[in-house]
Amino acid sequence: MALSGMRGLSVFISDVRNCQNKEQERLRVDKELGNIRTRFKNEKGLTPYEKKKYVWKMLYIYMLGYDVDFGHMESVSLISAPKYPEKQVGYIVTSCLLNENHDFLRLAINTVRNDIIGRNETFQCLALTMVGNIGGREFAESLAPDVQKLLMSSSCRPLVRKKAALCLLRLYRKNPDVVNVDGWSDRMAQLLDERDLGVLTSVMSLLVALVSNNHDAYWSCLPKCVKILERLARNQDVPQEYTYYGIPSPWLQVKTMRALQYFPAIEDPNIRRSLFEVLQRILMGTDVVKNVNKNNASHAVLFEALALVMHLDAEKEMMSQCVALLGKFIAVREPNIRYLGLENMTRMLMVADVQDIIKRHQSQIITSLKDPDISIRRRALDLLYGMCDVTNAKDIVEELLQYLNTADFAMREELALKAAILAEKFAPDLSWYVDVILQLIDKAGDFVSDDIWFRVVQFVTNNEDLQPYAAAKAKEYMDKPAIHETMVKVSAYLLGEYSHLLARRAGCSPKEIFTIIHEKLPTVSTATVSILLSTYAKVMMHTQPPDPELQDHIWAIFNKYESCIDIEIQQRAVEYFALSRKGAALMDILAEMPKFPERQSSLLKKAEDTEVDTAEQSAIKLRAQQQMSNALVVTDQRSSNGSLPVGQFGLVKMPSIGSNADANAADQGLAHANGTLSTVDPQPATPSADLIGNLLDPLAIEGPPEAAFSDQKNVVPGLEGVLDALALAPVGEQSNSVQPIENIAERFDALCLKDSGVLYEDPYIQIGTKAEWRAHHGRLVLFLGNKNTSPLVSVKALILPPAHLKTELSLVPETIPPRAQVQCPLEIVNLRPSRDLAVLDFSYKFGTIVVNAKLRLPAVLNKFLQPISLAAEEFFPQWRSLSGPPLKLQEVVRGVRPLSLTEMSNLFNSFHIMVAPGLDPNPNNLVASTTFFSESTRAMLCLLRVETDPSDRTQLRMTVASGEPTLTFELKEFIKEQLISIPTPTPALSPAPTLALAQAQPVSPTTSVTDPGAMLAGLL
């Protein structure tokens, strides 16, 4: 029963609160929802006041966690009410109940715009607040100009202008195109002259977003930001209401310093001096006080100032002052301040030479290892690891070993790894290193990976002077009644190899060695039994003259394990028994292990894999926990033009890459030669200037198919015939009644230069992609959208990766519901340099129609490049150090598409190869650099020089250099393929005799496609 007046809402809230259990609450809510639904059916009899009351109830029910799937139209309709109370309710409830893609929001755009451009400031604030909360791309395109006018208007009150700034920030995040870079630089500089701190704070939030995307356009804002900091630091013209515990507008100070961190180093000496004076004032004026709120505000400003000092690469004196200040913070009782102090000290180590100063606080940092808060203990461990060197390695490693006894299980594996790395990097002598590793295994065997004991074996094997000492220490540990199995492994191995040295020097007999090892046999797993059998054979081999009793005992063990169910143990037992009867020849057969070749430490490599910025790591984990690990099905409304929106493209948790990824590796030459192998007829290509077209065009291979497969690698068993058939069949002959919408190759070419867009579309399905690339890892999400009112069935997707990529695709559902979207995360790891491509083998069934398409995935070589800017003093030493083939390759490239130097620079920059103007004294030459990432090379610097001929732009000389031969070759060929492209078809160029891809005949490039606006509504 509806109650008159707003009293009905109060009574309903009281009824819900008085419910004894969840079931009673649900019944009361269902009753109220039924009543509201009934009243809304008779909407003609509802007054705006009654509608407002019921909408409030709906909002309260929604806040309780119940689904409210009706009444949205009534909420939106209240926005157009002429009176403030109803309009306020309409805006608030609409903001809470609807998301930016809801169809009903389109109905309100005109009303919202009328409120924004009207003269009622209250209505303007309501409209700006709602748009700032839920505004999507449609709002951005429709309302951004009006919001910009409000922001720049001198007649509007500050209250409206600061809401306009935050609203524009939201619209910019949804669609950066709404802010024209050329026009807004001067406007932003003008807005920074604002005296009202409320408007200034909102404008600074907008500036942070703008400069994070393009700092070059906003250099004029930099001196204004410094002036703002000066004004706040001196507390000039700061109203009392913007002073927080005596600190002038700490929020504005933090945002201003954050904006400054997006600009490169400041060159102007006056601006730099003024800024450092402000930072000095902040550093000197911050201390720990009893008031928690004041501490929070002052330390927020201080730590942002420290980040800016590190960014500006200040003089060592200021850096020392920062470290001294942080030293005070890591000694206070407040855990949050200690945490921030330790974290910022760690960052300080990475950007400045302050290691000696930080060492003064070593005892306090070690004390933090025993803090009750595990996050503080982790930061202390990171800092100790970073500050360790030869002078303090012994002290730090010994502290870590002591801490192992009481450390949390969650930290012990990381602790053991870092202690082992420090012992290896900074060991004063190798015997100390052996002691540390054996202590480590003894105290935390469960958390010591095999890499650690493998590494100590390598050191002992390669250093003859260390072998007797290592054998003696191994015997000491084996004498203990109970030791960890990892200790049994390493000790048994060392005694098997070097126990004869121990017998000579310490008078320890082989029988005694055998006895202490054999006592551990019943307690170990099958993997360790294999090592023990090898040790027995070695001990018997070193026993000269032979001991018949010992020999019989060992033979009995071999006989026992000859019938073992474990194949590895059985084979060892049989072979060792047979070999042991060879007599003197056994000495040659079971000779000591040779020295290991010098190689990168697997421990250091493992540490590099796990070193991620702690704050970023935490954010990644948090986002990952909020997402589903497998395919996510999202129902979606059709947009106004009939196509299916791709949605939000939010971060999706990617599955971890399993060991079976390599088992799916398909023919490396397939993607390289055939590109898009689709059973759907592609549309005919149309001319354009897209340079990437020829590299990946399936029709660009001339000559016999085997030429394109000259670098063929391993093929998945059972797929050879399929792949060969696909490779030999021209794309045009694989016809199907279903035609793709727009050219597939053009879509692929566009995705090679950007990270999101449409990969494939036909009348029934749309496949979009959004990718995120970081170093040698890639996270790509496939968005499979059903465009019809009937389901798509028998959906299958398989990744055919080349040998250099490791991929794992999450489970793809067999059915895509009507007008729904499936999100399928794909994890990609780049193992080594290569230009070959991964292929998505995709098929589905719609009614009686079966569609199959093989689509190239845009995981191309340039996705694993990151541009790097090098000054002349950095570039030329590197260039000279890489002398001659195979690290430096040079080639004269003919048949180049005529490009101006500016066009060529833009082409290189689009592929993440940064051109450095002015480095080469010849104005007709280009010099560029980039960094390539793969699992095998890690971060590898690549250098490029292009010498052009002004009289003949169709030829040039190109030199590419890197520290890895394969990378140099692949990058050279990759760049060459971008340059060999001409605007109209001509006879084939003479093929290079040694390169299959040089046989590619230039064809008409394809046009780049502008993706449909509705499809990309949530994508770009």
Side-chain angles (χ1 to χ4, degrees), residues 574-623:
V574 171
E575 291 179 358
Y576 288 151
F577 183 73
L579 290 172
S580 63
R581 296 177 174 273
K582 296 287 185 180
L586 188 63
M587 293 291 290
D588 296 327
I589 298 171
L590 296 180
E592 287 184 15
M593 282 290 291
K595 291 186 177 182
F596 289 90
E598 291 300 323
R599 65 184 72 172
Q600 181 189 9
S601 168
S602 58
L603 298 183
L604 297 178
K605 185 175 184 296
K606 189 172 183 179
E608 289 172 4
D609 291 339
T610 56
E611 280 178 7
V612 182
D613 180 71
T614 53
E616 183 181 0
Q617 194 177 49
S618 302
I620 292 171
K621 288 181 179 178
L622 180 62
R623 288 197 296 266

Side-chain angles (χ1 to χ4, degrees), residues 40 62 172 215 329 416 433 456 464 478 488 495 524 549 563 576 595 599 611 625 650 742 761 892-893 939:
F40 279 168
Y62 175 78
Y172 175 76
H215 67 268
F329 289 162
Y433 168 72
V456 76
E464 293 183 7
M478 290 293 273
V488 175
L495 289 173
V524 298
E549 184 181 351
S563 57
Y576 288 151
K595 291 186 177 182
R599 65 184 72 172
E611 280 178 7
Q625 290 169 359
E742 301 188 12
E761 184 178 11
V892 175
V893 183

Side-chain angles (χ1 to χ4, degrees), residues 152 179-193 203 207 210-211 214-222 224 263:
M152 300 302 301
V179 175
N180 189 326
V181 173
D182 297 332
W184 262 94
S185 177
D186 295 336
R187 293 186 185 182
M188 285 305 302
Q190 179 185 341
L191 287 168
L192 293 178
D193 291 328
V203 168
L207 178 64
L210 294 173
V211 297
N214 182 7
H215 67 268
D216 287 333
Y218 297 96
W219 276 104
S220 59
C221 297
L222 192 147
K224 300 288 183 72
F263 293 99

Side-chain angles (χ1 to χ4, degrees), residues 222-422:
L222 192 147
K224 300 288 183 72
C225 291
V226 176
K227 286 185 179 179
I228 291 171
L229 281 179
E230 287 182 309
R231 171 187 172 189
L232 296 174
R234 296 191 175 112
N235 205 356
Q236 295 175 344
D237 191 22
V238 179
Q240 185 62 35
E241 60 267 25
Y242 285 98
T243 303
Y244 185 79
Y245 288 92
I247 304 167
S249 191
W251 303 275
L252 180 55
Q253 290 192 56
V254 168
K255 290 177 181 178
T256 306
M257 287 187 283
R258 188 160 298 171
L260 288 172
Q261 290 174 55
Y262 286 105
F263 293 99
I266 301 172
E267 302 296 339
D268 189 309
N270 295 325
I271 296 177
R272 188 176 175 88
R273 184 176 60 255
S274 300
L275 181 55
F276 276 120
E277 287 176 2
V278 173
L279 294 174
Q280 185 74 32
R281 186 185 292 263
I282 293 173
L283 295 177
M284 295 294 292
T286 306
D287 207 347
V288 180
V289 296
K290 291 184 178 180
N291 190 298
V292 176
N293 291 328
K294 182 172 184 178
N295 271 340
N296 289 339
S298 63
H299 293 143
V301 175
L302 173 66
F303 287 119
E304 202 65 48
L306 288 172
L308 184 54
V309 168
M310 288 185 270
H311 172 73
L312 295 174
D313 193 19
E315 286 73 18
K316 190 167 183 179
E317 183 179 348
M318 181 172 273
M319 289 290 189
S320 303
Q321 185 181 348
C322 293
V323 174
L325 191 58
L326 292 172
K328 293 181 182 178
F329 289 162
I330 65 175
V332 301
R333 295 182 60 184
E334 172 61 38
N336 290 334
I337 297 176
R338 284 206 310 280
Y339 178 92
L340 290 170
L342 291 166
E343 184 177 49
N344 279 275
M345 264 195 182
T346 307
R347 290 181 177 175
M348 205 57 94
L349 272 173
M350 293 188 289
V351 298
D353 184 19
V354 291
Q355 195 165 10
D356 292 338
I357 308 170
I358 291 179
K359 284 180 186 176
R360 301 171 190 168
H361 306 281
Q362 182 171 313
S363 59
Q364 185 59 50
I365 298 168
I366 290 173
T367 303
S368 298
L369 277 178
K370 304 174 179 64
D371 194 277
D373 190 329
I374 188 172
S375 60
I376 292 178
R377 296 197 297 272
R378 285 188 183 279
R379 297 292 77 78
L381 176 60
D382 291 340
L383 181 52
L384 284 173
Y385 178 73
M387 65 187 283
C388 187
D389 60 19
V390 179
T391 62
N392 60 0
K394 270 195 171 184
D395 295 334
I396 289 179
V397 171
E398 286 172 7
E399 287 290 344
L400 296 182
L401 290 175
Q402 289 182 17
Y403 179 52
L404 261 175
N405 295 323
T406 56
D408 297 84
F409 287 107
M411 286 184 63
R412 288 195 182 184
E413 184 173 359
E414 180 186 4
L415 189 61
L417 176 63
K418 289 187 172 179
I421 291 172
L422 294 179

Side-chain angles (χ1 to χ4, degrees), residues 678-732:
S678 175
T679 58
V680 182
D681 245 346
Q683 297 292 331
T686 52
S688 116
D690 192 349
L691 296 181
I692 197 172
N694 287 335
L695 166 63
L696 301 170
D697 194 317
L699 303 178
I701 298 298
E702 182 195 66
E706 56 270 19
F709 285 82
S710 60
D711 57 344
Q712 181 169 333
K713 306 282 192 305
N714 55 317
V715 180
V716 177
L719 284 180
E720 297 91 340
V722 177
L723 298 181
D724 288 344
L726 291 172
L728 293 171
V731 175

